Amino acid sequence: MAANLSRNGPALQEAYVRVVTEKSPTDWALFTYEGNSNDIRVAGTGEGGLEELVEELNSGKVMYAFCRVKDPNSGLPKFVLINWTGEGVNDVRKGACANHVSTMANFLKGAHVTINARAEEDVEPECIMQKVAKASGANYSFHRESSRFQDAGPQAPVGSVYQKTNAISEIKRVGKDSFWAKAEKEEENRRLEEKRRAEEEQRQLEQERRERELQEAARREQRYQEQHREASPSGTCEQQQEVVSKNREEQVFSGQRTAHPREIFKQKERAMSTTSISSPQPDVCEEPAPSIPPSLVQAEEEATYEEPPEQETLYEEPPMVQQQDTGSEHIDHYTQAQGLSGQGLCARALYDYQAADDTEISFDPENLITGIEVIDEGWWRGYGPDGHFGMFPANYVELIE
């Protein structure tokens, strides 16, 4: 809350007027609060100057003193405002009264020096008079000023910082600066050139890679068209044998790159389609197939009969107990299926299975799979419930006799 000056307004105004009146003997007035309220009252007045005023300050209160003093330089009256906050005042009261300083300054107008004091050292009369002298607009004395112009004898020569300009050193300095500026510019150009050259090389490598891929694609397309032309009725016996040899080599190399059953199935289909196309031709010579190196045969066998990887992400693993119980049955089913392959086998699904791509079929438990063909120990193919023909894991079904 703000300081209340209206309750004791006449007494406050009277004390202030007595101090500012030059002919009045009263030269100081002291103001404080009534108890813990914000009402300002007159704590006392006097004619003894700063020495008497300092004795009236209480270390347990917040007080405001207004005093008239004489300027030591000009002899004119000056007014000093002291905002006193004793060391014994609690912090809450200090914070509340800190907002009243501006209100009291507006009420006690005309102060030339304002002092914020907390201890007796801050209100020593000598210190206050020094501050008044410094704040005086006429800070001079006739006696001191006159002594300044007396003749003090010969004076020392005046120093100078002037230096004679050396043309050679100046040229060297300028040349050195231009040399380093030129060197920095050349270094920057070199870095830009290296960056541009690296980008150009990268573009050339990328262009060569694209051209190489396009050439390889064109060669594959040409080889594919040649295989179809060679497999046509107008082809000769030697061309058909060459196609069969190339197909086998491609199967061996592709088998070395992947061991997934679906890839094996696609390889077998290509081999079967090539054989079926070349078999009905009347002019085909029944000659033995060209011999394949043992290393290629071994690689083909390894690629063809390699165990398929675990289908961790394609289907859920069946319960362990049921897998152990059906282990021997699966072997019997496979043996039985190999004996009955090509006779329109049917099977009933034991678990649900979701196809990973278009080459597989999906089914739920108790669904029937018809037209089964045994292509591998772990993977068969047949017609699913939706009529789609594709592959499925053999251990997920049981044959129906």
Side-chain angles (χ1 to χ4, degrees):
M1 297 178 62
N4 185 8
L5 301 174
S6 60
R7 182 172 182 177
N8 300 314
L12 299 176
Q13 187 68 25
E14 181 183 358
Y16 169 71
V17 171
R18 289 169 61 185
V19 173
V20 298
T21 303
E22 185 176 357
K23 296 182 179 181
S24 173
T26 303
D27 56 4
W28 63 268
L30 189 62
F31 308 92
T32 186
Y33 297 92
E34 291 186 352
N36 291 328
S37 66
N38 293 326
D39 299 333
I40 303 296
R41 66 178 180 84
V42 179
T45 58
E47 302 174 0
L50 288 174
E51 289 79 4
E52 184 181 6
L53 173 63
V54 171
E55 296 295 333
E56 297 295 329
L57 295 175
N58 190 339
S59 62
K61 294 183 179 180
V62 177
M63 310 181 80
Y64 305 95
F66 193 74
C67 181
R68 183 178 72 240
V69 297
K70 189 176 182 179
D71 189 355
N73 295 325
S74 61
L76 299 175
K78 301 291 183 181
F79 299 98
V80 179
L81 173 61
I82 301 175
N83 299 318
W84 171 262
T85 304
E87 296 179 349
V89 181
N90 58 48
D91 295 337
V92 177
R93 188 61 176 168
K94 289 179 181 178
C97 295
N99 299 325
H100 302 164
V101 174
S102 60
T103 303
M104 294 302 298
N106 293 331
F107 175 69
L108 303 173
K109 298 179 180 179
H112 298 88
V113 178
T114 301
I115 299 174
N116 297 318
R118 294 180 178 271
E120 294 181 358
E121 294 80 5
D122 300 333
V123 291
E124 291 290 339
E126 294 79 6
C127 297
I128 295 176
M129 294 306 297
Q130 289 178 4
K131 293 180 180 180
V132 172
K134 291 180 180 179
S136 176
N139 189 10
Y140 64 90
S141 173
F142 290 105
H143 300 287
R144 291 196 298 268
E145 290 295 329
S146 60
S147 63
R148 291 180 55 189
F149 296 99
Q150 294 179 359
D151 188 9
Q155 302 292 330
V158 179
S160 175
V161 295
Y162 171 75
Q163 292 181 358
K164 184 179 179 180
T165 303
N166 190 342
I168 297 177
S169 60
E170 187 69 16
I171 292 173
K172 289 182 178 179
R173 185 182 64 82
V174 175
K176 182 172 63 176
D177 294 342
S178 61
F179 169 78
W180 287 115
K182 183 179 179 181
E184 291 179 358
K185 186 176 181 180
E186 291 178 354
E187 180 66 17
E188 182 68 19
N189 294 335
R190 185 186 62 81
R191 286 197 295 266
L192 294 176
E193 182 65 21
E194 290 181 355
K195 183 178 180 181
R196 186 191 62 78
R197 191 182 300 110
E199 293 177 354
E200 184 67 23
E201 292 178 356
Q202 185 67 22
R203 284 196 297 269
Q204 291 180 358
L205 292 175
E206 187 68 18
Q207 182 67 20
E208 292 176 359
R209 184 184 62 80
R210 287 197 294 266
E211 292 178 356
R212 187 166 55 252
E213 290 179 353
L214 293 175
Q215 292 176 1
E216 291 177 357
R219 284 198 296 269
R220 286 196 298 270
E221 181 66 21
Q222 184 179 1
R223 186 166 57 250
Y224 176 75
Q225 293 177 0
E226 290 177 356
Q227 290 176 1
H228 277 274
R229 285 198 302 269
E230 291 171 357
S232 62
S234 60
T236 62
C237 177
E238 295 179 356
Q239 294 175 343
Q240 293 176 359
Q241 291 178 359
E242 185 177 356
V243 171
V244 173
S245 175
K246 288 182 179 180
N247 289 336
R248 289 185 178 179
E249 291 179 1
E250 290 179 358
Q251 293 174 9
V252 171
F253 292 134
S254 62
Q256 292 176 353
R257 290 191 298 267
T258 178
H260 198 279
R262 290 193 295 273
E263 297 297 331
I264 298 172
F265 171 68
K266 292 178 181 179
Q267 295 171 10
K268 290 185 177 181
E269 275 193 340
R270 287 199 296 268
M272 292 170 60
S273 62
T274 305
T275 307
S276 61
I277 292 173
S278 60
S279 59
Q281 303 304 325
D283 297 335
V284 175
C285 299
E286 297 182 357
E287 294 183 2
S291 60
I292 302 176
S295 59
L296 297 180
V297 174
Q298 183 178 0
E300 180 179 2
E301 292 177 356
E302 292 177 357
T304 306
Y305 298 102
E306 186 175 355
E307 287 294 332
E310 296 182 359
Q311 304 293 327
E312 294 181 357
T313 59
L314 301 181
Y315 60 88
E316 298 180 357
E317 192 68 27
M320 184 60 68
V321 178
Q322 297 181 4
Q323 185 177 3
Q324 292 177 357
D325 295 338
T326 59
S328 59
E329 296 179 2
H330 173 63
I331 298 174
D332 297 338
H333 290 321
Y334 177 66
T335 306
Q336 183 179 3
Q338 282 185 327
L340 299 176
S341 179
Q343 299 181 8
L345 297 178
C346 296
R348 182 171 55 252
L350 299 176
Y351 316 104
D352 66 315
Y353 180 75
Q354 299 298 323
D357 52 28
D358 295 338
T359 62
E360 298 180 359
I361 61 174
S362 303
F363 50 80
D364 295 328
E366 300 301 329
N367 288 152
L368 294 179
I369 296 93
T370 59
I372 297 175
E373 297 181 6
V374 179
I375 60 173
D376 189 78
E377 180 179 354
W379 290 83
W380 298 347
R381 66 177 182 177
Y383 292 94
D386 55 354
H388 180 65
F389 186 75
M391 298 170 55
F392 60 91
N395 58 347
Y396 272 53
V397 301
E398 67 173 349
L399 292 174
I400 301 176
E401 298 181 359

